[in-house]
Amino acid sequence: MCYAIPGKIKEIRGKTILVDYFGEEKKALNELSSLSVGDYVYAQGGYVINKVSAREAEEVLSVWKETFFEYQERDLRLSRVSLERKGIDRKIAFILDKAVQGVSLDRGEIVYLLNCDQPETLELCFKTANFVRQKYLKNACCVHGILEISNYCKQDCAYCGISTHHESLSRYRMSPEEIVNTACEAIDEYRFKALVLQSGEDGAYSVDELAGMIREIKEKSPSFILVSFGEVGISGLKKLFDAGARGLLMRFETSNPELYEKFHPGRTLATRLEHIRKAYEMGYLIITGALIGLPGATVEDHAGDILLTRDLHAEMYSFGPFLPHPNTPLANTKPVSETDVLKMLAAARFAEPREARVLVTTAFETLSPDARKKGLLAGASSVMLNVTPVQYREKYAIYPNRVNQHASIQSQIDETIELLASLGRAPTDLGARMGYEDRDR
Ligand code: 5AD
């Protein structure tokens, strides 16, 4: 099973190509040297990843062809929602109608939605978020892998279990060879097309070394590589981009500058945002977002988080619950509820109804056993699987008891495929937004 479907090139317009997927056309940027109309390619995140032989493509497509339309139909059926608004708060009804029409919500509307606590109304909000997701993005569900290469971190973020606060944590750092091999295995054997490389702000690897690893991975195993090494500086980001990284996963954590400084002593939100903005200008696809429920964060702050994510041109919204870690200064915080998280996912969907990919985070899956399904039925359209070697996973303890600490990659894949099939979601990344060159057109 692949996490992308090969498409056939229909047209080439300079660096942009048009790819056909069972009659649906998508654009992608081509960075490969030679491509012709009629070739089959994998595209991911709006970029062509590699060319595949017609034989290989047709083999995959023949498997998909049968299920593709069946899945779409199942999704369509499951995402139906009654537009009957009887007995529903009038302002919520207005908000939902607006979202269905593909119009972004404003701050006041997001706040209103996040403040709603009437179970039936919320149920309707979640269903409508799912309807809107289906209407504008169809049934594609991004499945990315994440490889946590080191849990060393020199930062003292107050919420984070791998920060300097956690003195007793046993630290690990994968060797460059192990990183490249593990990444290539995820891409070649487990067929991930998009992979996030993440670590604490380690500092032991220079950006040049990281760039070298990315180059090697991409040479050996064509893929869409996203980086998540924290604040490596603007020139660091450029080096990683030049090495072939095309995505940046960096949350701003909170859009409230005072809270930001409180939880990140000595650092500023402005620097964080500069990284994200500059990365976007360089051509990175951006995954960003914030923690839900940091102590002191208000509903207004969370509405601001969603709007800031939109403002940062996020391809994907990453919002997960803050889960208190016992070895951090915020150990005694009460975690947020499942409903609070679902509200944020639905609000993110409504903030950018036509475009947003909304991630069901591992933190949410840790908070609630049914999170993935519930999230996917409340506007989300993306999941991440952990491909870190099992012996390191427990040590990457950003919060306690993370899900899938011991689950093999294959079992995570099987479980995901089964869930996506039951929901009629195709594990693909077909419709990603365009890359940098197309943004100005
Ligand atoms: N609970 C949930 N998420 C956390 N992160 C760090 N600590 C926690 C926690 N206690 C998240 C941060 C960071 C990402 C890698 O992990 O948002 O960006």
Side-chain angles (χ1 to χ4, degrees):
M1 181 65 79
C2 280
Y3 304 118
I5 300 176
K8 193 173 193 169
I9 301 183
K10 279 198 81 173
E11 212 180 300
I12 300 182
R13 293 184 202 145
K15 280 201 138 195
T16 304
I17 61 163
L18 272 187
V19 190
D20 172 88
Y21 299 92
F22 300 119
E24 244 177 74
E25 271 172 29
K26 303 282 177 193
K27 282 191 212 163
L29 279 179
N30 175 29
E31 295 185 318
L32 308 179
S33 50
S34 66
L35 284 181
S36 326
V37 171
D39 284 347
Y40 285 97
V41 289
Y42 279 112
Q44 192 85 162
Y47 284 93
V48 176
I49 299 294
N50 61 331
K51 182 174 151 178
V52 280
S53 72
R55 222 186 91 213
E56 187 184 331
E58 278 156 15
E59 236 172 67
V60 178
L61 288 172
S62 68
V63 176
W64 265 107
K65 201 175 172 132
E66 285 174 29
T67 46
F68 194 75
F69 296 105
E70 193 190 302
Y71 274 35
Q72 277 193 345
E73 223 165 89
R74 187 171 308 150
D75 177 38
L76 192 63
R77 194 160 30 80
L78 291 173
S79 59
R80 270 190 207 132
V81 65
S82 156
L83 296 178
E84 178 65 63
R85 304 273 190 251
K86 237 195 243 150
I88 292 295
D89 177 298
R90 276 183 54 200
K91 186 151 182 191
I92 290 281
F94 172 81
I95 289 173
L96 297 183
D97 285 342
K98 197 169 162 184
V100 167
Q101 284 161 37
V103 182
S104 309
L105 301 191
D106 63 29
R107 184 180 296 268
E109 289 161 345
I110 297 174
V111 168
Y112 196 82
L113 189 121
L114 295 178
N115 272 325
C116 174
D117 51 15
Q118 212 278 325
E120 276 149 45
T121 307
L122 283 176
E123 192 57 38
L124 180 68
C125 291
F126 301 153
K127 281 190 155 187
T128 307
N130 189 33
F131 175 85
V132 169
R133 186 270 316 151
Q134 193 285 328
K135 180 173 178 187
Y136 295 107
L137 295 172
K138 300 273 176 5
N139 67 335
C141 182
C142 309
V143 180
H144 296 175
I146 181 161
L147 172 58
E148 295 142 349
I149 64 170
S150 161
N151 72 348
Y152 279 89
C153 190
K154 53 181 193 293
Q155 297 294 6
D156 55 358
C157 310
Y159 46 81
C160 185
I162 66 165
S163 66
T164 51
H165 295 291
H166 195 168
E167 286 170 9
S168 59
L169 180 67
S170 140
R171 306 276 169 172
Y172 73 91
R173 180 179 296 125
M174 291 171 70
S175 72
E177 194 191 354
E178 198 180 7
I179 294 168
V180 172
N181 289 344
T182 312
C184 292
E185 185 185 39
I187 298 158
D188 299 332
E189 281 169 40
Y190 294 103
R191 309 237 164 227
F192 284 90
K193 287 276 160 204
L195 199 62
V196 181
L197 302 180
Q198 190 178 77
S199 69
E201 289 197 17
D202 184 342
Y205 291 127
S206 67
V207 173
D208 290 311
E209 279 172 304
L210 292 168
M213 292 178 226
I214 292 168
R215 257 193 203 98
E216 203 179 329
I217 294 168
K218 289 204 54 163
E219 261 165 35
K220 288 188 172 152
S221 309
S223 50
F224 190 89
I225 300 292
L226 300 105
V227 288
S228 185
F229 306 132
E231 295 179 19
V232 294
I234 309 305
S235 63
L237 283 173
K238 180 79 175 77
K239 280 186 184 169
L240 297 176
F241 189 86
D242 290 342
R246 286 294 174 270
L248 174 72
L249 166 56
M250 181 184 271
R251 285 180 173 167
F252 51 81
E253 316 293 359
T254 170
S255 58
N256 177 329
E258 280 105 58
L259 277 188
Y260 189 93
E261 282 172 41
K262 187 169 161 198
F263 298 130
H264 308 92
R267 285 181 289 151
T268 66
L269 179 60
T271 313
R272 191 82 172 170
L273 297 182
E274 200 203 352
H275 271 79
I276 303 174
R277 292 211 164 97
K278 285 279 183 335
Y280 177 75
E281 282 167 22
M282 284 176 208
Y284 276 100
L285 176 151
I286 302 297
I287 303 183
T288 187
L291 285 162
I292 309 170
L294 278 174
T298 62
V299 161
E300 283 74 17
D301 289 330
H302 284 325
D305 295 341
I306 290 176
L307 291 174
L308 180 56
T309 307
R310 184 172 77 187
D311 182 53
L312 292 167
H313 309 278
E315 167 79 15
M316 193 178 283
Y317 287 57
S318 172
F319 282 90
F322 159 56
L323 303 174
H325 193 292
N327 295 71
T328 61
L330 302 182
N332 297 320
T333 314
K334 188 170 166 279
V336 292
S337 70
E338 178 187 287
T339 306
D340 287 333
V341 180
L342 290 172
K343 279 199 250 183
M344 283 294 281
L345 301 186
R349 161 67 48 227
F350 293 153
E352 224 187 333
R354 293 169 188 266
E355 299 266 23
R357 268 99 189 134
V358 178
L359 181 68
V360 178
T361 59
T362 314
F364 187 26
E365 293 180 51
T366 302
L367 177 75
S368 152
D370 253 356
R372 198 178 264 181
K373 183 169 179 187
K374 288 186 175 160
L376 290 172
L377 290 173
S381 59
S382 180
V383 296
M384 269 190 202
L385 308 191
N386 196 322
V387 302
T388 308
V390 176
Q391 70 268 31
Y392 301 127
R393 276 195 221 154
E394 215 160 346
K395 298 182 179 175
Y396 205 79
I398 41 185
Y399 47 82
N401 306 318
R402 282 196 309 160
V403 283
N404 294 329
Q405 302 243 72
H406 308 288
S408 70
I409 301 177
Q410 194 55 52
S411 69
Q412 293 179 64
I413 291 173
D414 293 345
E415 207 183 307
T416 307
I417 296 296
E418 196 181 320
L419 174 66
L420 296 185
S422 76
L423 299 176
R425 306 291 175 89
T428 73
D429 188 346
L430 296 183
R433 225 176 269 188
M434 288 307 300
Y436 60 107
E437 295 205 354
D438 229 55
R439 286 172 189 159
D440 300 326
R441 285 180 203 161

